[in-house]
């Protein structure tokens, strides 16, 4: 009894230390990540015991809005953001027995995260707090999943933390060129966690061309013993609600029409099961 009481007290103390204001299943938690700064996460839990935890970084500038509706459901608003902001993707993670945690920008970066901010010590500090919370709550290290411009977040955080506390990295449509830089700009020979890359052959986003995905793969193979690639073909080049001309927020770039099979393949990779190296519709 004394041991149970000690663990209960320790858990409450940790919750207070991280400034958590809400901590229910399928809910929004808010963490005090830096002095005067808060950051929120939407957390979706599976029905049974979690098999893995995925921390998802919405793409583009990462701007999402999360709120609780009167009926207790979570309202999630986003404009683009790729696979990591997609409802089908996070629900597919949940169906595979995963916790899907989607992070919003902190209060001092609410207008969006550019490459410099995603690469900053402040961002690493914010995500370190999220990692610590998820690890304590679920008893396992999270995988970090970034898409397009949010691929900088896992790449930077894992590099800055030297892999500590992280199970693996998932980069879908990773940045490989362009004015915002590329994931290979971070220090080489550091990332040792397992890495999964997912790329559409017909991706039309200028910063994530298919022809450069093997360079990304080779970069991480310099330090990680497990780097896998899934190549996607087909789907649709139009995502409902997104302008067709915005090639970096929709269509093939975000695996439109194939979000479920792509996310199922990622889930199999996380679980150590056989997964398709190529996905066709």
């Amino acid at each position: 009894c004394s041991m149970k009481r000690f663990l209960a007290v320790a858990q409450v103390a940790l919750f207070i230390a991280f400034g958590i204001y809400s901590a229910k299943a399928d809910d929004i938690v808010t963490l005090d990540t830096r002095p005067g700064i808060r950051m929120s996460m939407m957390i979706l839990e599976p029905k049974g015991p979690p098999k893995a935890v995925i921390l998802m970084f919405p793409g583009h500038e990462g701007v999402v809005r999360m709120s609780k509706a009167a009926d207790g459901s979570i309202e999630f608003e986003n404009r683009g953001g790729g696979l990591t902001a997609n409802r089908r993707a996070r629900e597919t993670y949940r169906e595979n027995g995963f916790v899907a945690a989607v992070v919003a920008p902190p209060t001092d970066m609410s207008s969006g995260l550019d490459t410099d901010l995603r690469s900053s010590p402040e961002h690493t500090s914010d995500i370190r707090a999220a990692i610590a919370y998820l690890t304590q709550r679920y008893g396992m290290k999270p995988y970090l999943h970034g898409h397009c411009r949010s691929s900088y977040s896992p790449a930077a955080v894992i590099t800055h933390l030297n892999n500590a506390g992280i199970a693996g990295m998932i980069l879908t449509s990773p940045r490989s060129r362009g004015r915002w830089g590329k994931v290979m700009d971070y220090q080489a020979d550091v990332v040792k966690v397992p890495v999964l890359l997912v790329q559409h052959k017909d991706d039309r986003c200028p910063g994530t061309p298919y022809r450069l995905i093997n360079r990304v793969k080779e970069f991480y193979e310099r330090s990680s013993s497990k780097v896998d690639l899934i190549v996607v073909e087909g789907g649709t080049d139009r995502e409902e609600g997104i302008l067709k001309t915005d090639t970096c927020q929709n269509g093939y770039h975000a695996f439109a029409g194939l979000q479920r099979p792509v996310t199922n393949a990622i889930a199999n990779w996380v679980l150590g099961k056989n997964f398709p190296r190529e996905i066709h519709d």
Side-chain angles (χ1 to χ4, degrees), residues 24 26 67-75:
K24 293 188 247 179
D26 288 15
S67 60
K68 291 295 291 288
D71 63 359
S73 62
I74 298 177
E75 295 181 346

Side-chain angles (χ1 to χ4, degrees), residues 125-145:
S125 180
D126 294 337
I127 303 308
R128 182 194 287 117
I131 290 169
Y133 170 72
L134 293 169
T135 302
Q136 191 280 332
R137 179 167 172 172
Y138 298 107
M140 62 186 79
K141 300 176 183 179
Y143 287 79
L144 307 190
H145 181 180

Side-chain angles (χ1 to χ4, degrees), residues 196-214:
L196 176 64
L197 308 172
V198 186
Q199 177 72 51
H200 199 292
K201 271 193 171 182
D202 297 313
D203 189 344
R204 294 188 295 115
C205 178
T208 61
Y210 172 71
R211 62 183 174 82
L212 295 181
I213 191 61
N214 280 325

Side-chain angles (χ1 to χ4, degrees), residues 98-263:
F98 295 178
V99 173
V102 185
V103 66
T107 51
D108 63 339
M109 304 176 188
S110 58
S111 61
L113 299 167
D114 61 17
T115 308
D116 287 342
L117 290 177
R118 292 187 185 277
S119 305
S120 68
E122 291 80 7
H123 186 54
T124 295
S125 180
D126 294 337
I127 303 308
R128 182 194 287 117
I131 290 169
Y133 170 72
L134 293 169
T135 302
Q136 191 280 332
R137 179 167 172 172
Y138 298 107
M140 62 186 79
K141 300 176 183 179
Y143 287 79
L144 307 190
H145 181 180
H147 181 93
C148 190
R149 284 170 64 184
S150 77
S151 61
Y152 297 124
S153 288
V157 169
I158 294 173
T159 299
H160 294 160
L161 295 182
N162 196 21
N163 306 279
I166 298 155
M169 180 169 70
I170 302 159
L171 302 182
T172 52
S173 304
R175 297 293 300 200
S176 56
R177 65 179 299 275
R179 60 191 175 107
W180 286 295
K182 52 190 180 296
V183 294
M184 299 90 82
D185 291 335
Y186 297 107
Q187 184 178 346
D189 305 318
V190 174
V191 174
K192 299 186 184 305
V193 298
V195 176
L196 176 64
L197 308 172
V198 186
Q199 177 72 51
H200 199 292
K201 271 193 171 182
D202 297 313
D203 189 344
R204 294 188 295 115
C205 178
T208 61
Y210 172 71
R211 62 183 174 82
L212 295 181
I213 191 61
N214 280 325
R215 292 190 189 177
V216 181
K217 188 172 185 285
E218 290 165 3
F219 176 80
Y220 288 116
E221 285 176 334
R222 293 173 58 177
S223 53
S224 174
S225 61
K226 181 176 173 57
V227 182
D228 292 306
L229 170 64
I230 297 175
V231 175
V232 182
E233 288 188 85
T236 175
D237 200 24
R238 179 69 181 270
E239 181 70 38
E240 185 178 355
I242 304 296
L243 295 175
K244 187 176 178 62
T245 55
D246 194 342
T247 57
C248 290
Q249 290 202 61
N250 74 307
Y252 299 137
H253 176 72
F255 315 107
L258 294 173
Q259 292 100 338
R260 287 192 181 279
V262 167
T263 311

